[in-house]
Amino acid sequence: MNNIYKNLKDNGVVLTKDFFSEAEISEVRNQYDQLDKKLTNKDIYKEKPIIVFWKHVQGEQKRIATFDEFPALWSLINKKIVPFVKKATNTDHEIQLLETIIFNKPTEVSNTLHWHQDVAYFPLKPNNQVAVWFPLEPVNQKRGALNYALKSHKDGIKGSTDLHTRKPFDNENRDLIPEDPAKAGYEVRCMEMTNNDILIHDGYTWHYSGPNKEEGYTRRGISVRFIIEKAVFDPRPGQGAAFTKQLDLKAGDPFEGKPFPSL
Ligand SMILES: O=C(O)CCC(=O)C(=O)O
């Protein structure tokens, strides 16, 4: 059994140091910055995977790009991230790309993205996903790093809430993540990272990011999520992720389609 797999199973999250080279990250950062300046599209494409540009500012609308506009990220996903996810999940079959989001936290105006569990927002059965996350520049607590409740992935499915306000979505009847998991007995770890590091977390693991309070620094973090086991569409209220608008499926249909390629 490899260490990343064991650690992911035990703790629900693993930080791997020095995973990317400086050249890999600077190419992605340069393409991101160019695209961010000119991107205005808000329509969701149904024929291809999308990249969601999400500024952590309440009221801001998400913008949508494709990998045709961001080839360096597509190459990084295929060459480095997919093999890493397969190793970390001990998988030798193809995995499906679910969604890619770039979270941007400008200084000061940016706000907290509250405690959540990714799978609570996803219409899938079985609900078996993992996500990787990496910053384009070093992050720490002051800069809005991610914080995780270790081993919380073992506590089952939780309710989905508005990530900015913590208000549960309508018809949400599942238990919610406690307001302060540390007080509930969990070890909470702030993941300080350089821009060469990568995190991988189980879709059930609770996490949040605080505001970016560092003057002159814009925190950009890329999250890529994968389905690691064949799933069917299992809709329920409160699942508002952008990719749900890419779907043309009925409950029970295999979760497949051009926006969610097998890699
Ligand atoms: O980048 C962030 O601040 C939040 C990322 C996150 O919560 C996620 O990828 O699920």
Side-chain angles (χ1 to χ4, degrees):
M1 206 179 347
N2 71 65
N3 274 348
I4 300 180
Y5 172 69
K6 185 174 178 316
N7 215 338
L8 185 60
K9 267 213 158 334
D10 286 351
N11 290 315
V13 57
V14 184
L15 170 58
T16 299
K17 305 292 292 174
D18 299 322
F19 178 75
F20 296 117
S21 71
E22 207 55 53
E24 284 165 337
I25 285 298
S26 67
E27 199 188 353
V28 167
R29 190 192 302 122
N30 291 342
Q31 278 186 18
Y32 171 82
D33 286 340
Q34 281 171 24
L35 190 51
D36 184 45
K37 275 192 214 122
K38 61 174 198 220
L39 184 66
T40 53
N41 177 58
K42 304 212 164 101
D43 295 336
I44 310 271
Y45 304 98
K46 291 200 159 192
E47 293 300 313
K48 40 178 100 174
I50 54 171
I51 309 167
V52 179
F53 280 56
W54 181 347
K55 242 184 211 163
H56 286 199
V57 178
Q58 210 167 345
E60 181 89 8
Q61 242 195 306
K62 293 170 188 158
R63 292 169 299 152
I64 308 292
T66 69
F67 286 100
D68 302 334
E69 299 165 282
F70 203 159
L73 183 55
W74 185 244
S75 161
L76 203 67
I77 289 175
N78 279 283
K79 288 199 188 124
K80 290 215 68 163
I81 295 175
V82 167
F84 172 72
V85 169
K86 288 186 183 180
K87 182 174 174 200
T89 55
N90 212 16
T91 300
D92 53 14
H93 54 77
E94 293 191 317
I95 52 176
Q96 251 178 297
L97 177 64
L98 179 59
E99 63 175 358
T100 305
I101 306 180
I102 307 184
F103 295 93
N104 175 317
K105 279 181 187 284
T107 321
E108 296 294 349
V109 287
S110 59
N111 43 41
T112 296
L113 208 73
H114 284 288
W115 281 107
H116 64 281
Q117 173 193 61
D118 297 343
V119 293
Y121 300 81
F122 294 163
L124 295 167
K125 194 160 73 183
N127 217 340
N128 208 351
Q129 302 110 49
V130 295
V132 299
W133 189 95
F134 56 96
L136 296 182
E137 288 187 48
V139 281
N140 55 27
Q141 188 71 299
K142 188 175 174 193
R143 291 177 157 199
L146 290 188
N147 292 262
Y148 285 86
L150 303 188
K151 304 189 191 293
S152 55
H153 64 305
K154 297 180 178 166
D155 203 30
I157 189 83
K158 298 290 163 194
S160 53
T161 54
D162 181 300
L163 291 171
H164 291 296
T165 63
R166 273 199 99 242
K167 190 173 168 298
F169 287 128
D170 290 346
N171 304 317
E172 181 55 80
N173 53 13
R174 302 172 293 191
D175 288 345
L176 300 181
I177 292 173
E179 187 164 354
D180 183 352
K183 284 202 185 122
Y186 285 91
E187 181 187 343
V188 172
R189 187 172 298 166
C190 173
M191 299 294 187
E192 304 215 329
M193 300 169 74
T194 74
N195 51 249
N196 307 109
D197 302 342
I198 190 168
L199 279 171
I200 182 163
H201 69 246
D202 185 291
Y204 281 86
T205 310
W206 312 345
H207 55 285
Y208 87 96
S209 64
N212 163 23
K213 295 195 172 148
E214 183 152 324
E215 204 57 54
Y217 169 82
T218 299
R219 204 228 61 183
R220 291 153 294 169
I222 301 187
S223 172
V224 190
R225 304 186 213 276
F226 298 91
I227 307 173
I228 55 173
E229 191 181 352
K230 283 265 169 240
V232 297
F233 182 50
D234 182 33
R236 53 163 291 128
Q239 283 153 339
F243 75 81
T244 57
K245 302 192 183 78
Q246 294 182 287
L247 301 167
D248 235 341
L249 300 175
K250 297 186 301 300
D253 283 350
F255 192 87
E256 285 166 0
K258 288 186 182 152
F260 316 107
S262 294
L263 302 172

